[in-house]
Amino acid sequence: MTNRRAIFDDEHEQFREQVRRFCEREIAPHYRDWEREGLTPREFWRKAGEAGVLCTTIPTEYGGPGGTFLHACVVTEEMARVGASLGLPVHSDMVSPYLMHYGSEDLKQRLLPKLCAGEVVASIGMTEPGTGSDLKNIRTSAVRDGDHWVISGQKVWITNGFNCGVVVVACKTDPAAGAKGVSLIAVEEGTPGFTKGARPMDKIGLKAQDTAELFFDDVRVPVTNLVGEEGRGFRYLMEQLPQERLVIAVRSCAILETQLENTIGYVRDRKAFGTPLLDFQNTQFKLAEAKAYITALRAFVDACIAEHVAGGISSERASMAKLVATETMGRYLDEFLQLHGGYGYSNEYGIGRAWVDARVTRIAGGTSEVLKNIIARGL
Ligand SMILES: Cc1cc2nc3c(=O)[nH]c(=O)nc-3n(C[C@H](O)[C@H](O)[C@H](O)COP(=O)(O)OP(=O)(O)OC[C@H]3O[C@@H](n4cnc5c(N)ncnc54)[C@H](O)[C@@H]3O)c2cc1C
């Protein structure tokens, strides 16, 4: 389906074949059940680990496949193509890099092999009931007590939260120091005082993704669970958020390509007034416009991927990529759904689910407004 793109070589394409088979075998047939259950079973995570599709950038010495961000893109794209919205990118492309880049050797040795194998599911806890966009104002606190940190507070909307075996928690270690008072601390499941909401949160979409509230009631964790240095958490978040935003852009672009192709197939087959829908000029104009914008988006997203691989994409460029990709996705998935008529509103065709699931991409990982603020700083 994908034409060979300049950023990928033969090895990536072989990997793509492998991931595609995995998605078709281990995700597609089960996805509707997971949506009904409201979560992705832990057994799936172990299968993903065995198949080498988790934490693709983690080096082999920590149990990872030792790939690059391009391998991560392949996984993201192939999951998007089977219509799956899973929490894998959070686990693989967000949490594991925090541990890899900033974690102590002890933390890396202890956690990364389990994340790579899918034995432990990982989350990142930034958002709180009282604050999301304004991350500096989080209230979850961590107070040093001898060789431990004592954490108190609450997180909300945490992807993989219900299944998570470890969560990297953004805490205030110095409430008076603003952004410089934020630290990241890893908290493992089973630590006394760490509890999860009774069930995954009830969302309008992303039904197979377990999003949860997490509670921290005087949770004592060893000081070695600090990720990186005290007071540098906000900086680490700012360093890693561009990759998260780029991953969302990569996923959005793959969803658009898949749904464009599916919609072209649908309007070719479906007839109204004795003629295929594709013969109406309205249908042609809608799809011609969509194809042009998606083609342009693909060029920009691939350029951003190349920049990131070459040395790290800037916050401004990653914000542009996410903004353009998610807003374009919102606009055209709506058009594609319209072209499906009533069937667009059913769960029989992937377009309905894609449309609902897409809505969150303009909110999570930085709202479109927050992204515009970042871009505006560089004007
Ligand atoms: C399905 C899902 C999964 C998520 N996963 C995670 C996760 O794994 N980990 C995690 O930590 N968080 C997660 N989130 C939380 C997500 O990142 C936040 O919802 C998001 O950052 C927005 O924060 P908020 O909900 O508090 O909205 P608010 O910050 O209250 O924003 C409300 C509105 O105000 C606008 N706004 C805010 N500030 C400004 C401004 N300065 N200028 C103009 N407009 C502004 C926003 O753009 C938005 O439209 C998830 C959310 C969802 C829905």
Side-chain angles (χ1 to χ4, degrees), residues 149-160:
W149 288 104
V150 182
I151 304 172
S152 302
Q154 182 182 345
K155 298 290 176 182
V156 71
W157 293 118
I158 304 309
T159 302
N160 302 334

Side-chain angles (χ1 to χ4, degrees), residues 93-267:
D93 307 323
M94 286 188 68
V95 184
S96 77
Y98 281 114
L99 297 172
M100 187 61 220
H101 294 311
Y102 313 114
S104 63
E105 195 53 33
D106 167 62
L107 213 50
K108 288 199 266 197
Q109 295 283 0
R110 191 147 50 89
L111 290 174
L112 284 175
K114 292 182 188 158
L115 260 63
C116 296
E119 283 167 27
V120 163
V121 178
S123 294
I124 173 97
M126 298 176 278
T127 308
E128 301 183 352
T131 191
S133 303
D134 186 10
L135 263 179
K136 284 197 270 295
N137 273 330
I138 55 167
R139 301 181 69 151
T140 297
S141 65
V143 178
R144 180 87 186 242
D145 179 20
D147 287 344
H148 288 81
W149 288 104
V150 182
I151 304 172
S152 302
Q154 182 182 345
K155 298 290 176 182
V156 71
W157 293 118
I158 304 309
T159 302
N160 302 334
F162 199 71
N163 264 335
C164 80
V166 65
V167 53
V168 172
V169 188
C171 306
K172 272 281 170 79
T173 42
D174 182 353
K180 291 192 174 139
V182 176
S183 303
L184 302 182
I185 302 178
V187 177
E188 288 158 271
E189 194 179 27
T191 311
F194 170 35
T195 53
K196 305 169 178 181
R199 58 190 64 82
M201 294 173 76
D202 187 11
K203 310 185 295 295
I204 60 169
L206 302 182
K207 295 284 191 187
Q209 215 179 87
D210 57 297
T211 313
E213 290 174 286
L214 304 179
F215 303 93
F216 304 88
D217 186 10
D218 286 337
V219 177
R220 291 176 73 83
V221 296
V223 285
T224 47
N225 278 30
L226 182 70
V227 178
E229 292 176 37
E230 184 182 340
R232 291 174 82 91
F234 191 77
R235 187 182 164 152
Y236 299 151
L237 293 170
M238 293 307 113
E239 284 170 4
Q240 295 303 314
L241 278 170
Q243 172 160 304
E244 180 191 354
R245 289 174 179 152
L246 180 54
V247 168
I248 295 171
V250 168
R251 189 176 143 65
S252 304
C253 195
I255 290 169
L256 275 169
E257 288 171 338
T258 305
Q259 294 303 333
L260 172 65
E261 196 171 293
N262 291 348
T263 305
I264 294 170
Y266 182 82
V267 296

Side-chain angles (χ1 to χ4, degrees), residues 285-297:
F285 276 18
K286 295 278 186 211
L287 292 178
E289 183 187 303
K291 187 173 180 181
Y293 276 86
I294 295 167
T295 303
L297 178 68

